[in-house]
Amino acid sequence: PALVLLALTDAQPAAAERADGRGRPRQSAQALGVISGRHLLDEQAVVARLQSMQDSFSPLLADAREELTARAVDRAIIEEQQSEYERALALDQEREAAAEAAAEAAE
């Protein structure tokens, strides 16, 4: 018997754009570590090995969380910029329509 510690990851950053047909990004599993043999019978050994695996991958997890946060901030900025652009465009179109109506009324 063996205990395998897996991490779910996006297949590739570009894969997030290709959904699985249900609107979710494709994911893959990556083995982070294996505990097997007699070590599985010793609860303290299992806990110590899991803690060791967690400690070794903590920097990568922190980096991944930071990257996700940065992407979310970037996405929010882009959405806000798009919203501001659409509002400004609507105002410009209203002004143009009002100017055209005033010009036609003056004729």
Side-chain angles (χ1 to χ4, degrees):
L3 173 66
V4 180
L5 182 64
L6 298 174
L8 289 178
T9 61
D10 287 341
Q12 295 176 353
E17 297 171 10
R18 294 173 289 179
D20 66 358
R22 292 176 285 195
R24 296 185 306 222
R26 293 182 187 164
Q27 292 186 325
S28 64
Q30 177 182 359
L32 301 180
V34 178
I35 304 171
S36 61
R38 62 181 174 81
H39 299 290
L40 281 175
L41 301 175
D42 182 1
E43 182 179 324
Q44 291 178 344
V46 170
V47 170
R49 180 68 179 127
L50 289 172
Q51 184 64 47
S52 173
M53 287 182 211
Q54 179 184 5
D55 292 344
S56 66
F57 287 99
S58 287
L60 294 175
L61 183 58
D63 290 346
R65 285 181 178 148
E66 185 178 315
E67 183 178 334
L68 287 174
T69 301
R71 286 183 189 178
V73 168
D74 289 346
R75 195 170 31 253
I77 290 171
I78 290 169
E79 289 172 2
E80 180 64 27
Q81 289 173 337
Q82 182 66 30
S83 177
E84 288 293 327
Y85 170 78
E86 290 171 0
R87 280 193 288 266
L89 181 60
L91 285 173
D92 287 345
Q93 289 171 341
E94 287 176 18
R95 285 185 199 127
E96 288 177 10
E100 288 176 10
E104 288 178 11
E107 292 177 4

